[in-house]
Amino acid sequence: MHFKILAATALASLVGLSAPAFADTQLNALFMSQAAYSEADVKAMTADFEKANPGVKVNVEFVPYEALHDKIVAAAGAGDRGYDVILYDVIWPAEFVKKGFLKDVTDKVPAADHDKIFDGAWTTVTYDSKVYGMPWILDTKYLYYNKDILAKAGISAPPKTWAELESQAEQIKAKGLVKYPIVWSWQQAEALICDFTTLTSAYGGSFLKDGKPAFQTGGAVEAVKYMRETLDKGVTNPSSREYLEEDVRKVFSNGEAAFALNWTYMYALANDPKQSKVAGQVGIEPAPGVDGISKASAVNGSMGLGIASNSAHPDEAWKYVTFLSSKDVQDKYAKLSLPIWKASYTEPAVTQGQEYLVKAADVSLGLMFLRPAVPYYTELSNILQKNIHAALLGEDTPQAALDAAAARAARLR
Amino acid sequence: MESWRPRSEKWLLLAPALLILSAITLWPLAQTLWLSFTDAEITAVKQPIHWIGFDNYVYALTDPDFQDALSRTLYFTIVSVGLETVIGVAVALLLNLEFKGRTFARMLIVLPWALPNIVNAMMWRLIYHPEYGALNALLVQTGILSDYRSWLGEPGLALHMVIFADVWKNFPLIAFVALAALQTIPRELFEAARVEGAGAWHQFKAIVLSAIIGPVLVIVILRTVEAFRVFDIIYVMTRGGPADSTKTASFFVYQEYFSYLRAGSGASYAAIVAAISAVLIAIYLGAVRRQAKAAA
């Protein structure tokens, strides 16, 4: 019985192993299917790479962001038939490096590149001062607003502080221009933590202090209080509590919201008349700040491309990674995701038609607040998601919810 | 019955079947059980695995979130399977009546069951969508609701909306099994009962119920075990939210294993879920046996 299975597996792996000798090198790459670069863009970049590198074929696969982490982990546990190139979030390097999922490429990165790329982008792929890939998506959340609605409400300038955002939203609601002026991605998911982080940074809060939870005091509590207050006042769309980024985009593009917090990619899509009723009326600003504490706020939502440590073709994989993150490629596809290269921001190809986005990015990219780089981040985040959600649903006060999260986080091992 | 072969020969004949059975069922089970007593983690590099006794179980059973998840799963199972059984049997009784278009109705009823779980979950997610969903549109346009609701965004509501989607998909199975059993009842039986002066309720109990209870119980067992390890519909519709109100035990196992990479601990959660399933099966099997005895 066992022998037969072994023989069959051996045969299968022989067939599999002998294939590259006859055919081209095959790379498997894993991407995500929402926000930042579109599937079509990634496929087009990949086609260009294949043209420039005959003999290398790349199979690209897309999964929703929510499934990305677990897909990477499952493939890493499965041995060397998994992915060669993986897209990973800024919150995962600590965990992935500790578990040995990513290849150390510190020596492969040209020293000259270090100063040409934004620091915030480098933190995405760096852990313990070693580099585990190339930054690819440089992203943060921006405040989007509907110019028409603001004009109709008699508001002359978009809000600079969160308090101002709230009062403008109240004004818009009072005039009956939209039922719920603000829409967010507050489903019990990482998207909620990104909005929470943006607010926390505005209020000067923090996640951890000396490795211990610090979110139950100060700015983080203010952040959740603010979220709850906008719900209580009816200026936040209550369905935000089951929305992800794509829902936010659809509601905003449908003209049903005056304000929305979302990633870079929404700028081009909300301005696309084919899929948006508000094309041409979309304003973008850095996420607001808090009087006396901050001028603006931002979360580091960047992502990097790494090589799986069990890849059988690390050299070809690195070629692919450097191609995708090269300045030329990034400049060409800058509509949904802004380049990681500082020099790109003066290129007409990048700035043309998105002057306002680039202007907002100029402020936001320098402020990007990091979620804690700890190996147990996923679990910490899940604890926060659950408890913040409870506060947003009115089951708990913000203070009690964060206290409960801190107590639960103390059980982490 | 008298055995015509010596004892050892009987075992010899059984041996291949037992071997295959243990290879495909006992081995993975034993491995999971072994894993649940270790600190194994999912890593790309080989790491030493330590035997840590009952630590994982202690951690799991003292976790208030997991206790909540277990009772939530039990609630889901009881309500889901209960509703499926009642609706399923009622529909079977209706479909057993003579009426025009009966064949078409029978065909129609199989549709939900024929859908893959994931497709069913995605379909209901769309129907429940707070802004564009059909349910809000229907209820508001008919004046039943004055305002759109966030069906999967409210803790008390979300679990019941998921249960509804699950019942809709699974009641046809029970309906079909009950219908098949109903069709084995000869018409004359009812006439004979009537002649003897039995009332409607008595007829139903003596003839209908006794004919369908056996087959239906078997399906109920199957559905109970399935419902207790519910995962896919939760993953697609709510991912455990809002505020953990739909987080089931299987979702916990999944998170422990794939999100937190703790293979050993995940295995202990899985073992607990399996043990509870086994208890549920034992209860039902007892019921089936009693049923068989009563019928004999």
Side-chain angles (χ1 to χ4, degrees):
Chain A
M1 194 55 213
H2 262 107
F3 174 72
K4 260 191 191 162
I5 293 173
L6 273 178
T9 342
L11 201 69
S13 60
L14 264 179
V15 173
L17 282 175
S18 62
F22 302 104
D24 302 334
T25 304
Q26 298 248 354
L27 291 179
N28 296 317
L30 181 66
F31 296 94
M32 64 167 183
S33 56
Q34 87 218 47
Y37 297 113
S38 68
E39 290 193 27
D41 282 357
V42 175
K43 281 179 184 154
M45 295 175 195
T46 303
D48 289 345
F49 171 77
E50 286 173 340
K51 218 180 282 164
N53 294 274
V56 182
K57 174 149 183 0
V58 188
N59 307 313
V60 290
E61 194 181 325
F62 298 87
V63 294
Y65 171 82
E66 280 65 40
L68 190 59
H69 171 275
D70 301 348
K71 191 102 184 170
I72 293 170
V73 171
D80 61 359
R81 310 297 297 171
Y83 300 104
D84 299 283
V85 173
I86 48 178
L87 172 68
Y88 63 88
D89 201 356
V90 60
I91 48 185
W92 301 332
E95 174 191 350
F96 284 3
V97 169
K98 205 177 148 224
K99 307 277 177 183
F101 295 162
L102 288 171
K103 221 174 199 77
D104 178 357
V105 294
T106 314
D107 302 336
K108 295 191 176 187
V109 179
D113 282 359
H114 275 280
D115 293 332
K116 293 184 191 162
I117 292 173
F118 286 102
D119 288 345
W122 278 123
T123 56
T124 311
V125 292
T126 309
Y127 183 67
D128 241 5
S129 49
K130 289 207 177 77
V131 181
Y132 294 89
M134 282 298 282
W136 189 49
I137 296 168
L138 178 64
D139 215 345
T140 185
K141 286 204 168 178
Y142 297 96
L143 178 73
Y144 289 89
Y145 62 96
N146 186 315
K147 291 179 187 166
D148 268 19
I149 297 179
L150 260 62
K152 276 183 199 148
I155 297 164
S156 54
K160 292 267 179 243
T161 65
W162 289 104
E164 213 180 315
L165 171 67
E166 194 179 324
S167 62
Q168 289 191 3
E170 282 178 289
Q171 211 173 319
I172 289 163
K173 189 181 170 80
K175 293 216 163 143
L177 294 167
V178 283
K179 189 154 189 215
Y180 300 115
I182 321 173
V183 62
W184 319 70
S185 46
W186 288 353
Q187 193 184 102
Q188 188 180 345
E190 192 59 33
L192 162 65
I193 300 299
C194 292
D195 286 2
F196 164 72
T197 306
T198 309
L199 279 159
T200 298
S201 83
Y203 280 100
S206 54
F207 278 84
L208 302 172
K209 210 165 205 168
D210 306 320
K212 293 214 171 65
F215 49 74
Q216 70 281 30
T217 56
V221 182
E222 296 304 315
V224 179
K225 275 188 188 154
Y226 179 82
M227 295 161 95
R228 174 71 184 274
E229 193 178 292
T230 63
L231 278 164
D232 291 344
K233 287 189 174 165
V235 291
T236 280
N237 188 329
S239 299
S240 297
R241 293 172 295 196
E242 61 170 288
Y243 283 162
L244 290 172
E245 290 92 338
E246 279 292 87
D247 303 298
V248 170
R249 175 169 79 84
K250 281 175 195 149
V251 170
F252 184 82
S253 298
N254 229 11
E256 289 162 23
F259 299 104
L261 207 66
N262 213 342
W263 307 104
T264 307
Y265 84 109
M266 187 164 104
Y267 191 67
L269 296 185
N271 269 320
D272 176 1
K274 265 182 268 163
Q275 43 185 327
S276 169
K277 289 187 193 162
V278 300
Q281 316 166 17
V282 182
I284 186 169
E285 288 287 327
V290 171
D291 263 340
I293 301 177
S294 57
K295 286 213 157 9
S297 53
V299 53
N300 190 336
S302 306
M303 297 181 83
L305 286 172
I307 303 170
S309 56
N310 49 12
S311 165
H313 309 286
D315 294 333
E316 288 88 346
W318 179 243
K319 234 186 217 172
Y320 182 52
V321 168
T322 45
F323 178 84
L324 289 187
S325 52
S326 68
K327 183 169 171 296
D328 288 349
V329 172
Q330 292 218 316
D331 287 356
K332 191 172 163 191
Y333 296 96
K335 290 289 171 249
L336 295 176
S337 180
L338 289 173
I340 55 171
W341 304 88
K342 292 173 184 169
S344 298
Y345 292 74
T346 50
E347 297 281 351
V350 174
T351 54
Q352 205 141 52
Q354 32 190 24
E355 292 80 3
Y356 292 100
L357 168 64
V358 170
K359 203 173 143 232
D362 217 28
V363 177
S364 297
L365 295 182
L367 294 173
M368 297 194 299
F369 194 80
L370 261 182
R371 286 161 281 169
V374 288
Y376 54 88
Y377 178 77
T378 309
E379 199 168 3
L380 177 68
S381 168
N382 276 334
I383 293 168
L384 277 168
Q385 287 167 31
K386 181 209 159 177
N387 288 291
I388 294 175
H389 220 216
L392 298 182
L393 289 158
E395 295 194 322
D396 230 341
T397 66
Q399 185 66 58
L402 291 171
D403 281 343
R408 182 65 186 77
R411 233 177 94 92
L412 286 181
R413 44 176 188 177
Chain B
M1 197 165 72
E2 200 71 25
S3 169
W4 55 276
R5 281 178 192 277
R7 236 182 138 75
S8 56
E9 200 170 330
K10 230 167 28 182
W11 279 107
L12 207 67
L13 287 170
L14 266 174
L18 283 177
L19 215 67
I20 292 174
L21 209 65
S22 52
I24 60 174
T25 66
L26 283 181
W27 173 243
L29 258 176
Q31 209 181 19
T32 305
L33 214 57
W34 172 77
L35 212 55
S36 73
F37 291 104
T38 70
D39 64 352
E41 297 204 348
I42 303 179
T43 54
V45 279
K46 279 254 174 291
Q47 294 220 325
I49 294 174
H50 305 102
W51 180 269
I52 54 168
F54 283 94
D55 280 11
N56 286 330
Y57 288 93
V58 172
Y59 185 84
L61 291 170
T62 54
D63 182 355
D65 288 350
F66 186 58
Q67 291 162 5
D68 286 353
L70 279 181
S71 48
R72 193 176 298 129
T73 313
L74 210 59
Y75 179 81
F76 176 90
T77 307
I78 292 168
V79 177
S80 239
V81 177
L83 284 175
E84 277 161 40
T85 312
V86 171
I87 298 174
V89 170
V91 167
L93 290 171
L94 282 177
L95 289 180
N96 198 38
L97 300 173
E98 297 278 358
F99 63 92
K100 232 182 153 165
R102 187 169 72 156
T103 321
F104 180 69
R106 285 181 183 180
M107 228 169 60
L108 205 65
I109 216 82
V110 83
L111 276 177
W113 182 70
L115 285 180
N117 264 336
I118 301 282
V119 175
N120 181 55
M122 288 177 67
M123 185 184 86
W124 281 100
R125 197 178 143 76
L126 270 178
I127 293 173
Y128 292 154
H129 194 286
E131 228 86 30
Y132 316 111
L135 184 63
N136 270 330
L138 181 80
L139 293 179
V140 170
Q141 275 162 29
T142 52
I144 295 170
L145 269 187
S146 63
D147 214 347
Y148 280 15
R149 278 191 85 164
S150 184
W151 299 102
L152 297 173
E154 297 170 33
L157 203 54
L159 185 63
H160 291 101
M161 299 321 279
V162 174
I163 288 178
F164 187 84
D166 191 61
V167 169
W168 185 82
K169 176 171 167 24
N170 287 307
F171 85 86
L173 184 64
I174 292 184
F176 265 84
V177 170
L179 185 60
L182 282 175
Q183 294 189 328
T184 62
I185 306 174
R187 299 260 148 216
E188 303 83 61
L189 217 56
F190 290 101
E191 278 154 38
R194 242 195 317 271
V195 169
E196 278 177 32
W201 169 244
H202 198 78
Q203 276 183 43
F204 176 77
K205 228 177 88 174
I207 305 172
V208 176
L209 220 53
S210 72
I212 65 172
I213 199 159
V216 166
L217 250 174
V218 172
I219 300 302
V220 167
I221 295 175
L222 202 80
R223 280 293 310 140
T224 303
V225 175
E226 247 176 39
F228 196 76
R229 56 183 174 79
V230 58
F231 175 78
D232 33 22
I233 195 168
I234 303 281
Y235 184 90
V236 174
M237 288 181 76
T238 61
R239 293 190 70 91
D244 272 6
S245 63
T246 59
K247 193 173 266 180
T248 58
S250 287
F251 204 85
F252 244 86
V253 177
Y254 164 81
Q255 251 184 357
E256 194 69 10
Y257 206 93
F258 286 109
S259 299
Y260 311 151
L261 316 188
R262 290 195 288 260
S265 171
S268 76
Y269 284 95
I272 294 169
V273 175
I276 296 175
S277 300
V279 170
L280 288 175
I281 296 174
I283 294 172
Y284 279 122
L285 284 182
V288 172
R289 202 167 303 134
R290 267 198 307 281
Q291 186 58 39
K293 251 189 211 144

